[in-house]
């Protein structure tokens, strides 16, 4: 779609209108309005209402405000102290009011219980009201807009008693670029973040370099991307924020390569690999990739929305996983705020490292053949299905508590974990890993002996005078020399009764 003349006239290399160069493909809204983002009261917003009523309001006097920003907050009615805090940064030619009305964050603030801070820049700072993610005088620790945002966090913690350990930041486009910078500048402040159609942290340090970041591969290694984060707060060693990355595959304003660079940057910072440890499909043609740490907890995730142009993914409706309203750069695909909030752990108040259902227990390799391994585990309450991973990659999604992995190489060891998946598709914590080895070939080995000798040989166990096959737990009768059974080994340390079968 061609540029509107009014926007085209403003669009220069200095303006750096990330998110405003073209109308986003698929948007049902009219062309964006050039909204002033001054500190005045937003249109049609009850800015003087008491925050305990759940109203959107302006907050003044939040600090020295070197970035010349305005602060707006939304707090659900009756929110207790100790609740989380989310900072939500609008895109270019948008305002705090636009983000309050369209992004869907207030729905989940009410549902899950947290405060939202909506910072607002102005056309006095940037001709298209873009946050200055590309300017080291405004987007670095201790200066400019970055410092103003952190002053807002401090003010909100004071006003609402927010939990300083559960502060998160998200943003769209230029707001996404600023969110990435804030995660790098203040990893001691933010427990997690989300970059929606945005840029890697400190990709550009001048206005002249910004366009290149938006449009092309910068040719940096993951270590070089990670160094940009580590150098933003020298001497800091962690813990690092948990990061969600959202990208439309058809975005021509902030090209999809930025999502790849963001993944490389934050997996490097976390010290984990660039191969996903799990993948799942979401509504709106969305694919989510997980990147887990050594404990099996996803700390980086990438959401790719097929066919979506430039904007924030929303999905209006009353469903549990629906949110927001369409508008300029608010695109009806999938509710990004819902999935981001759950990734951070805001849905159950467990913090950024423990969202979703608990890990299944009792994962066991119940049987093996030269080409397959059968698994079993204990059921998890509330699970609609289970995600089975072999060596970190998803291989099955059974609804029950058993799964057989086929097509494997003979005589080869494989590692497995299982996670429960709830009805909304959210994946819980992973189980402890189990390693199983396929048989080398030929027929399973059988052993015929008395129960007494089976126990002595380690193929069975005894309890209360009775004998049970090792692994399968099948009852074999009394533990003595008079009762004889045949046991067939079907896996490492796993035997089944096979009388008359061998």
């Amino acid at each position: 779609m061609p540029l509107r003349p009014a926007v085209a006239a403003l669009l220069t290399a200095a303006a750096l209108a990330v998110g405003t160069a073209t109308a986003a493909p698929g948007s049902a809204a009219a062309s964006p309005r050039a909204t002033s983002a001054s500190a005045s009261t937003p249109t049609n917003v009850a800015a003087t209402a008491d925050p305990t009523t759940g109203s959107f309001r302006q907050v003044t006097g939040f600090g020295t405000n070197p970035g010349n920003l305005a602060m707006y907050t939304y707090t659900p009615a009756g929110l207790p102290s100790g609740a989380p805090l989310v900072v939500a940064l609008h895109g270019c030619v948008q305002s705090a009011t636009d983000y309050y009305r369209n992004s869907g964050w207030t729905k989940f603030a009410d549902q899950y219980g947290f405060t939202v801070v909506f910072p607002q820049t102005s056309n006095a700072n940037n001709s298209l009201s873009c946050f200055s993610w590309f300017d080291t005088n405004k987007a670095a620790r201790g200066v400019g807009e970055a410092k103003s945002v952190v002053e807002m966090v401090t003010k909100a913690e004071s006003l609402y008693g927010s939990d300083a350990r559960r502060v998160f930041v998200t943003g769209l486009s230029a707001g996404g670029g600023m969110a990435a910078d804030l995660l790098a500048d203040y990893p001691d402040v933010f427990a997690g973040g989300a970059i929606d159609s945005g840029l890697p942290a400190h990709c550009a340090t001048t206005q002249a370099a910004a366009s290149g970041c938006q449009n092309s591969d910068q040719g940096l290694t993951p270590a070089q991307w990670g160094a940009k984060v580590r150098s933003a707060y020298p001497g800091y060693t962690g813990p690092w924020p948990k990061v969600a990355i959202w990208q439309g595959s058809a975005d021509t304003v902030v090209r999809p390569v930025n999502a790849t660079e963001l993944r490389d940057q934050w997996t490097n910072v976390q010290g984990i690999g660039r191969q996903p440890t799990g993948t799942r499909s979401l509504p709106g043609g969305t694919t989510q990739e997980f990147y887990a740490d050594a404990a099996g907890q996803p700390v980086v995730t990438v959401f790719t929305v097929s066919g979506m142009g430039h904007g924030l993914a929303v999905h209006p409706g009353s469903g549990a996983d629906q949110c927001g309203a369409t508008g300029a750069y608010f695109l009806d695909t999938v509710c990004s705020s819902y999935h981001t909030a759950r990734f951070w752990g805001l849905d159950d108040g467990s913090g950024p490292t423990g969202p979703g259902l608990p890990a299944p227990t009792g994962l066991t390799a119940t049987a093996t053949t030269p080409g397959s391994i059968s698994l079993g585990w204990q059921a998890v309450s509330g699970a609609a299905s289970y995600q089975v991973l072999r060596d970190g990659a998803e291989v099955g999604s059974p609804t029950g508590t058993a799964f057989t992995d086929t097509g494997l190489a003979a005589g080869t060891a494989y590692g497995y974990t299982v996670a429960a998946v709830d009805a909304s598709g959210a994946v819980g914590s992973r189980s402890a890993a189990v390693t199983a080895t396929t048989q080398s070939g030929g027929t399973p080995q059988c052993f015929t002996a008395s129960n007494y000798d089976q126990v002595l040989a380690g193929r069975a166990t005894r309890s209360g005078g009775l004998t049970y096959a090792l692994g399968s737990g099948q009852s074999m009768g009394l533990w003595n020399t008079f009762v004889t059974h045949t046991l067939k080994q079907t896996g490492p340390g796993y035997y089944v009764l096979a009388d008359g079968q061998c």
Side-chain angles (χ1 to χ4, degrees), residues 140-141 213 285 298 448:
R141 186 178 177 93
C213 286
T448 301

Side-chain angles (χ1 to χ4, degrees), residues 186-474:
Y186 294 97
D188 53 332
V189 172
F190 297 103
I195 300 107
D196 295 80
S197 302
L199 298 300
H202 299 298
C203 180
T205 56
T206 65
Q207 289 185 344
S211 179
C213 286
Q214 290 174 230
N215 291 294
S216 60
D217 187 338
Q218 299 301 291
L220 300 183
T221 66
Q224 289 172 319
W225 281 119
K228 288 180 176 288
V229 173
R230 289 183 287 269
S231 64
Y233 184 16
Y236 183 79
T237 58
W240 296 101
K242 187 175 186 180
V243 178
I245 301 156
W246 286 84
Q247 180 68 47
S249 68
D251 192 337
T252 58
V253 177
V254 176
R255 302 279 179 174
V257 68
N258 285 278
T260 301
E261 292 169 335
L262 278 161
R263 178 207 63 189
D264 290 353
Q265 183 172 64
W266 289 101
T267 53
N268 180 264
V269 169
Q270 292 283 1
I272 58 178
R274 290 182 290 163
Q275 291 299 315
T277 53
T279 303
R280 64 169 175 156
S281 296
L282 298 176
T286 305
T287 300
Q288 182 182 12
E289 295 176 331
F290 299 94
Y291 299 82
D293 61 14
Q297 290 295 322
V299 290
V300 177
T301 188
V302 179
F303 299 87
T304 303
V305 187
S306 179
M308 190 181 84
H310 189 68
L312 182 74
V314 298
H315 188 34
S318 59
D321 62 348
Q322 292 182 279
C323 72
T326 56
Y329 308 111
F330 295 100
L331 309 181
D332 187 358
T333 51
V334 61
C335 175
S336 59
S337 299
Y338 170 78
H339 292 286
T340 296
R342 290 184 65 87
F343 176 70
W344 288 341
L346 296 180
D347 57 318
D348 60 4
S350 63
T353 58
L357 294 172
T361 59
L363 178 62
T364 305
T366 59
T368 65
T369 71
S372 69
I373 294 174
S374 296
L375 304 167
W377 57 90
Q378 297 298 312
V380 173
S381 178
S385 63
Y386 297 88
Q387 182 186 75
V388 181
L389 299 104
R390 180 213 310 141
D391 297 331
E394 185 176 0
V395 293
S397 54
T399 57
T401 57
F403 176 75
T404 298
D405 191 16
T406 60
L408 306 177
T412 303
Y414 296 93
Y416 292 92
T417 56
V418 177
V421 182
D422 68 18
S424 73
V427 181
S429 300
R430 293 184 189 177
S431 69
V434 65
T435 300
T437 303
T438 52
Q439 296 177 13
S440 298
T443 58
Q445 192 171 3
C446 293
F447 304 88
T448 301
S450 70
N451 284 354
Y452 178 84
D453 289 330
Q454 298 280 26
V455 171
L456 290 184
R459 297 185 290 267
T461 60
R462 66 182 180 92
S463 176
L466 297 176
T467 309
Y468 299 90
L470 184 67
S472 69
Q474 291 175 302

Side-chain angles (χ1 to χ4, degrees), residues 111-159:
Q111 184 172 330
Y112 299 147
F114 56 84
T115 294
V116 187
V117 171
F118 295 95
Q120 182 170 277
T121 188
S122 68
N123 54 17
N125 291 345
N126 177 279
S127 60
L128 292 177
S129 299
C130 305
F131 286 101
S132 302
W133 58 272
F134 46 79
D135 189 338
T136 53
N137 294 318
K138 298 180 180 180
R141 186 178 177 93
V143 300
E145 295 174 11
K147 183 176 181 180
S148 291
V149 171
V150 172
E151 287 179 340
M152 293 181 197
V153 170
T154 301
K155 182 69 171 182
E157 290 171 351
S158 174
L159 284 176

Side-chain angles (χ1 to χ4, degrees), residues 480-499:
N480 58 35
T481 59
F482 304 105
V483 179
T484 298
H485 285 293
T486 298
L487 294 178
K488 179 168 64 175
Q489 185 174 9
T490 60
Y494 199 93
Y495 297 83
V496 297
L497 282 169
D499 294 336

